[in-house]
Structure formats: structure tokens, C-alpha cells
Amino acid sequence: MSKLQDNISCVEVLSQNECEEIASKVLGLRDHWRDRGTFWTLGASTYNDEVMAYPGIAWQDNAILTRYFGKLLQEIADGFEQALKKPVIYLHTHGLPGFHIFDHTANNLEGSIHIDQPETRCWWPCETKDHFSFTLAIELPNGQGGMNLYEGDYETIENHTGPLPNPEYMPYEPGYLYMHDGQIIHQIANPIDMKPDQHRITLQGHGATLSSEQVVLYF
Ligand SMILES: O=C(O)CCC(=O)C(=O)O
Ligand SMILES: [Fe+2]
């Protein structure tokens, strides 16, 4: 039987050591985290920031992301370039792929069930196509965490009144990057309670192809 997770591709991009180094840098940059209510981001994000404010926030936060995570961002762009066989670029008007950070204060909270449409919340120099989303797991509490995937069409799930169908849980592994077209109905899953010193840290990004066939990565 085919599984929903067959729609998600997965590739190892970081070693355990690299994940630990990145996580410790993210935690050390707490002064630069943006409070999103039940979690934080390090970086501007289309779905958290007002459309008009996004370029300014991106301009500010991109300075931090390039300063501390320049090598990682280059490696991510190189990896996508090889996989997609198209030039991959970062735009100055857009937030660079950035971090989602959760701690124990998110215990027992449900993530929103959604599809991704970040391309509708930012300016583009031309029409875009082939939108996709990716998540690179950096640190998970006791190695646990992933994404819930839901069968069905989004409208039905969005307007549901009764109980939701059971999701398929797709576990992440630190160091692995998960990529999908954003149209699969999904939800951040934090299946275990975090202790006060534990975090769920991921690098989150989206992709869009410009009419020039350049692929833009952004958050
Ligand atoms: O953090 C994750 O596991 C997925 C995040 C997500 O769905 C999103 O940022 O749109
Ligand atoms: Fe999403």
C-alpha cells in the first residue's frame, strides 16, 4: 500500500557533529530569535511576518544568518543545484532559509494542519512555478519529532467539524533533509514532551523557480 510519506524525499546532508555544532550556534543566538507565540524563528518567515514587513525583517535577519550559517546555506544551495540541475540563488528581497525553534513551552500544543503557500506572501520579479518546501532536522528531543501527514483534500480538512482522520506520522532524523511540494496536508509533530533543556530545531525553507529557470530558496 502506498504511504503518504512516499511523496516526501529525504536525503542525509549533515553529520551528527555538524548538527550539534549548528544547534549550539542557534541556541547561542537567542537574542536574535523572533518570538512567534508558541515557538521562535531565527530568520524572517513569509507565514509569520506581515507581507509588507517581510523584506525589511529579511534584510535584518539575513545578516545574522549569513554571518553564522553562511557555510551551511552555501551547502544547501549547492545540494539543491545538483539535485534539481538548475542554478540555485538567494534573493536579497527574501528571507534566507532559517530556523524553527521549539522548547518545552510547546508541550501539548497542536501544530496547525496546513499546506504551504509561502509564494503568495512575498513579492516576485516574475511568475514563479515548481514550488516546494524542505525541512532539515537539526536537533530533536530524544531524537523524536517529525511531521503528521493527512490524506484527503485540504478544503475538507480545513472545514472539518467532526473528528479528523488519523494522520500518518513521518519521523525525522537529525541531519536529514525532507522535501515535498507543499501540497500534502501536514502538521509539525512533537510526539514527546520536551524537558526544560531540550529543543526541536529545524532549518526551514521553500523553493520557487523563476521564469529564468533560477531556483530561489527562501523562508
Ligand atoms: O518543522 C516542520 O517539521 C515542518 C514545518 C512546516 O510545515 C512549515 O514551516 O511549513
Ligand atoms: Fe508546512
Side-chain angles (χ1 to χ4, degrees):
M1 203 177 75
S2 94
K3 290 172 156 186
L4 292 170
Q5 46 190 286
D6 294 343
N7 298 299
I8 298 183
S9 54
C10 161
V11 60
E12 186 174 12
V13 297
L14 295 173
S15 68
Q16 274 315 304
N17 274 350
E18 289 169 320
C19 286
E20 281 167 28
E21 248 175 63
I22 292 163
S24 110
K25 270 206 239 178
V26 170
L27 294 174
L29 291 165
R30 207 185 166 109
D31 289 350
H32 302 283
W33 296 3
R34 289 188 184 273
D35 189 348
R36 305 307 194 169
T38 52
F39 62 94
W40 294 263
T41 65
L42 182 53
S45 120
T46 41
Y47 79 100
N48 286 293
D49 293 314
E50 292 294 331
V51 174
M52 296 301 284
Y54 175 73
I57 294 173
W59 186 72
Q60 192 180 355
D61 288 10
N62 285 356
I64 303 295
L65 292 167
T66 46
R67 163 78 178 84
Y68 295 98
F69 305 99
K71 180 169 169 272
L72 173 65
L73 290 165
Q74 288 297 340
E75 284 168 1
I76 298 284
D78 290 346
F80 274 106
E81 202 158 89
Q82 277 182 14
L84 301 173
K85 303 194 169 30
K86 287 184 182 179
V88 170
I89 59 171
Y90 293 121
L91 285 183
H92 292 304
T93 43
H94 286 57
L96 290 163
F99 297 93
H100 271 146
I101 307 142
F102 290 83
D103 75 3
H104 67 282
T105 55
N107 286 347
N108 304 317
L109 295 177
E110 288 260 310
S112 80
I113 299 173
H114 67 279
I115 54 171
D116 297 336
Q117 294 173 308
E119 70 279 5
T120 61
R121 294 188 47 86
C122 52
W123 169 87
W124 294 103
C126 57
E127 285 200 4
T128 61
K129 61 177 182 183
D130 299 339
H131 304 107
F132 63 88
S133 295
F134 64 91
T135 303
L136 169 56
I138 305 287
E139 180 172 317
L140 302 171
N142 295 350
Q144 301 286 306
M147 190 152 70
N148 286 327
L149 306 173
Y150 292 86
E151 184 95 63
D153 72 289
Y154 185 54
E155 238 114 85
T156 316
I157 298 240
E158 206 182 15
N159 301 323
H160 77 277
T161 44
L164 282 168
N166 282 336
E168 181 182 310
Y169 173 62
M170 187 189 68
Y172 291 161
E173 248 188 83
Y176 282 76
L177 183 146
Y178 301 83
M179 177 182 162
H180 56 99
D181 69 3
Q183 298 310 298
I184 182 158
I185 305 164
H186 61 280
Q187 175 188 37
I188 288 178
N190 291 323
I192 62 159
D193 274 354
M194 282 179 251
K195 301 199 180 75
D197 62 338
Q198 289 185 318
H199 298 88
R200 179 197 204 265
I201 303 174
T202 55
L203 181 84
Q204 181 65 33
H206 302 279
T209 304
L210 304 180
S211 49
S212 55
E213 296 298 315
Q214 292 160 310
V215 177
V216 177
L217 302 182
Y218 66 106
F219 185 7

